[in-house]
Amino acid sequence: MRPGLIGLVFLCCLSAHGQVTFSGSIRSRIENWDWFTADSGDHSYTFDGSTIRFGVSQVRRKFDWNLELEIPVLLNLPTNAVAAGVQGQLGQGASYYVANDKQSNVAMLFPKQAFVRWKSDVASIRVGRFEFQDGSEVTAKDPTLAVLKRDRIQQRLIGPFGFTHVMRSFDGFHYVYNKPKINYTLVAATPTRGVFQVDGWGWMKVAFAYASATGQTQTKSTTGEWRAFAIWYDDWRQIIKPGAGLAKIQIGTYGAHYVQVTKTPIGSIDLLGEFALQNGKWGALDQRAGMVDLEAGFQPNILPRLKPWIRGGYYYGSGDKDPNDSKHGTFFQLLPTARPYAQFPFYDMMNNVDRFAMLTLRPHQRISFKTEEHMLRLASRNDLWYAGGGAYQPWTFGYQSRSASGAAGLANLFGGSIDVTINSHFSLSPYYGYAAGKSVIQAIYPKGKDGHLAFLELNYRF
């Protein structure tokens, strides 16, 4: 998005009457990556990434507008963290370094959001640059349902990739028709550059259209939500795409989710299910893929000072069983925010089987402890090991892929985080994850199949 649309927002600013809100945030994170040990290059390094956002906005009865600028700052990126061949980039520090013309210290200013929204009592449409997360169409009133939507449903397929220090936005339009019992949402947009590249100004030859219907259910003891959605995705960049060559990718994704929370005499029980099927074209191949996610949780009425929450689940994202036939069977994750579903983001939801368990303890309203264990394997040993979060620059596919060499076991991941809300402005979040590599990683990184990620993140909002 270039200055024309920013000028439109400024004209609205000048012509509007009423209170204008100034806001901003600073997020700074020190990351220590100890990637799987390669034959060459630095697999262990530390760097700092910060995201500074500040903007002005106004909300009126018939319309509102928002202009927000962002400055990502990356310091001390590793200069020797790319190994030869399939071992490739050794963690996200290497991805930042390569995406920014191999500069170790880099920053840039660009518009993160710049939109105008017109609205009535039941409908609204915004045009310009905005953030969007699939699954976030309706705000949940029940706090448990809200957490499940935030952590286990939203931005699974389309999101701003918020863990990265640059993130992405979308340029297009976003229409909402919202009634008490149902919500209809339509989005048509192109993703901006960014994510690992600090230049977030431009576009790419990638676009999508999204449509959903969402409703919430309520009984005396149960709160639930359902959503049906369809997404059309088109990538016509002239770059190498695994299995498609230089040809375009045109994929339809159709799915639904249902989540509910039931209060019982012994505690709250939550159930979650989501599935998606894909068709279309992967270059010259027919896209035929799918995913399913099944989860359950229990918050027992014991240990009230800790408020334990136990959850477990099973995820399956299909892989390509025969790379020599006319079908492409790898589920394609589109433009997600990968990290909510991969806390140590060395994998994603493509060609992946994830059996997991989680424990959350909340000893104080401002403190939350969370631990996770994931048993990861490839859905098809004839496919690739994928990692990434989708398109972010014209000349890079957006997903890294490595040959599994006929193996299937990926890793066992153990991780833990603490979220501390200091006050209304400050929060603090340390994380540590340990990946015990299995046969796939062992074959690619024979010198060291285990990896570590640790970081300390500070957030300040004003």
Side-chain angles (χ1 to χ4, degrees), residues 300-308 361:
N301 294 331
I302 60 173
L303 303 175
R305 292 187 177 181
L306 294 178
K307 298 179 181 177
L361 302 175

Side-chain angles (χ1 to χ4, degrees), residues 5 26 31 34 41 69 75 94 103 105 148 157 174 196 227 233 244 278 307 335 372 410 421 426 432-433 438:
L5 191 51
I26 300 173
E31 303 183 25
D34 189 356
L69 303 179
L75 302 175
Q103 300 180 67
N105 303 294
L148 289 171
L157 297 175
H174 177 195
F196 298 113
R227 173 181 58 128
Y233 177 88
Q278 291 183 332
K307 298 179 181 177
L335 297 162
E372 297 186 4
L410 186 58
T421 301
F426 286 97
Y432 172 75
K438 302 181 77 173

Side-chain angles (χ1 to χ4, degrees), residues 136-360:
S136 64
E137 292 86 338
V138 176
T139 301
K141 297 179 181 179
D142 180 87
T144 298
L145 188 65
V147 171
L148 289 171
K149 282 168 55 66
R150 182 195 67 195
D151 293 347
R152 304 303 305 169
I153 292 177
Q154 293 178 193
Q155 54 193 331
R156 191 183 283 269
L157 297 175
I158 299 175
F161 212 156
F163 179 70
T164 64
H165 298 292
V166 189
M167 300 179 277
R168 69 163 66 92
S169 298
F170 302 101
D171 288 348
F173 78 86
H174 177 195
Y175 172 79
V176 176
Y177 180 84
N178 195 43
K179 298 277 283 188
K181 293 186 178 181
I182 194 165
N183 170 286
Y184 296 105
T185 295
L186 297 173
V187 180
T190 181
T192 65
R193 303 184 191 188
V195 180
F196 298 113
Q197 171 187 294
V198 296
D199 181 357
W201 278 93
W203 293 339
M204 299 168 287
K205 294 180 178 179
V206 177
F208 73 92
Y210 172 90
S212 69
T214 308
Q216 293 194 339
T217 61
Q218 180 74 57
T219 67
K220 185 176 181 180
S221 60
T222 300
T223 302
E225 180 185 281
W226 60 268
R227 173 181 58 128
F229 62 87
I231 308 170
W232 178 252
Y233 177 88
D234 196 341
D235 181 345
W236 62 99
R237 293 174 296 166
Q238 290 290 304
I239 59 172
I240 296 294
K241 309 172 186 72
L246 296 175
K248 66 171 60 177
I249 296 171
Q250 294 180 313
I251 295 175
T253 303
Y254 318 95
H257 83 246
Y258 180 74
V259 57
Q260 75 171 36
V261 179
T262 302
K263 294 179 171 57
T264 74
I266 60 173
S268 293
I269 298 172
D270 62 83
L271 300 172
L272 184 154
E274 184 170 3
F275 78 91
L277 300 174
Q278 291 183 332
N279 65 4
K281 300 296 290 186
W282 187 272
L285 305 179
D286 294 327
Q287 177 76 5
R288 299 291 186 270
M291 59 78 71
V292 62
D293 180 56
L294 301 172
E295 305 181 18
F298 180 45
Q299 300 178 66
N301 294 331
I302 60 173
L303 303 175
R305 292 187 177 181
L306 294 178
K307 298 179 181 177
W309 189 357
I310 305 165
R311 303 197 75 250
Y314 173 85
Y315 169 81
Y316 173 85
S318 65
D320 194 33
K321 296 181 180 180
D322 185 355
N324 298 314
D325 65 9
S326 62
K327 297 180 181 179
H328 182 257
T330 308
F331 180 77
F332 186 56
Q333 205 178 347
L334 308 180
L335 297 162
T337 296
R339 191 175 180 270
Y341 309 97
Q343 293 290 294
F344 183 170
F346 65 89
Y347 65 99
D348 54 32
M349 296 168 51
M350 299 161 57
N351 188 34
N352 182 39
V353 177
D354 183 0
R355 292 164 291 175
F356 56 90
M358 304 174 179
L359 171 63
T360 302

Side-chain angles (χ1 to χ4, degrees), residues 9 25 61 176 230 238-239 265 339 363 418 456:
V9 175
S25 65
R61 190 174 68 87
V176 176
Q238 290 290 304
I239 59 172
R339 191 175 180 270
I418 306 173
L456 178 63

